[in-house]
Amino acid sequence: MRRFLEISGWSPGYLYVAPHHVTILARCEACGAEREFDRHSVPRSLEYALIPEIEARLRCATCGANAGRLRFGSYLEA
Ligand SMILES: [Zn+2]
C-alpha cells in the first residue's frame, strides 16, 4: 500500500521545470478522482506552459468535469 505525499505549498510554476523524480497526480476537484499525470502526454505547444494553463485543459476521465489540479509529490511506501 502506498500513499501520495504532496509537497505542500510548492509548485514548479512551469511543467518543464518539475524535477523528474517528482510524481505528478492530476486530481479532479469535482469528483475527487486522481490519476497519475504523464508529463509526456502534454502536447508540444504546451511544453513550456505554466501549470495553470495545463490545469485549464485537464478533463476528468471519470466525470467529465474541467476541474483538474496538478499535485506534485512522491509516493511513500507504507
Ligand atoms: Zn471528476
Side-chain angles (χ1 to χ4, degrees):
M1 183 58 188
R2 55 183 195 165
R3 71 190 178 90
F4 185 76
L5 182 69
E6 184 173 8
I7 306 169
S8 66
W10 180 82
S11 165
Y14 296 88
L15 185 63
Y16 78 97
V17 298
H20 278 265
H21 65 268
V22 171
T23 301
I24 307 171
L25 286 191
R27 175 183 169 83
C28 172
E29 300 288 3
C31 75
E34 279 184 332
R35 60 177 55 209
E36 205 161 312
F37 179 78
D38 177 9
R39 62 179 85 204
H40 302 295
S41 68
V42 170
R44 275 201 102 83
S45 60
L46 288 174
E47 215 171 317
Y48 299 105
L50 287 161
I51 300 298
E53 293 178 288
I54 293 167
E55 289 175 330
R57 289 172 162 252
L58 296 174
R59 184 169 297 281
C60 179
T62 303
C63 75
N66 181 221
R69 189 171 73 79
L70 296 180
R71 306 174 70 205
F72 299 88
S74 54
Y75 284 111
L76 293 182
E77 303 296 333

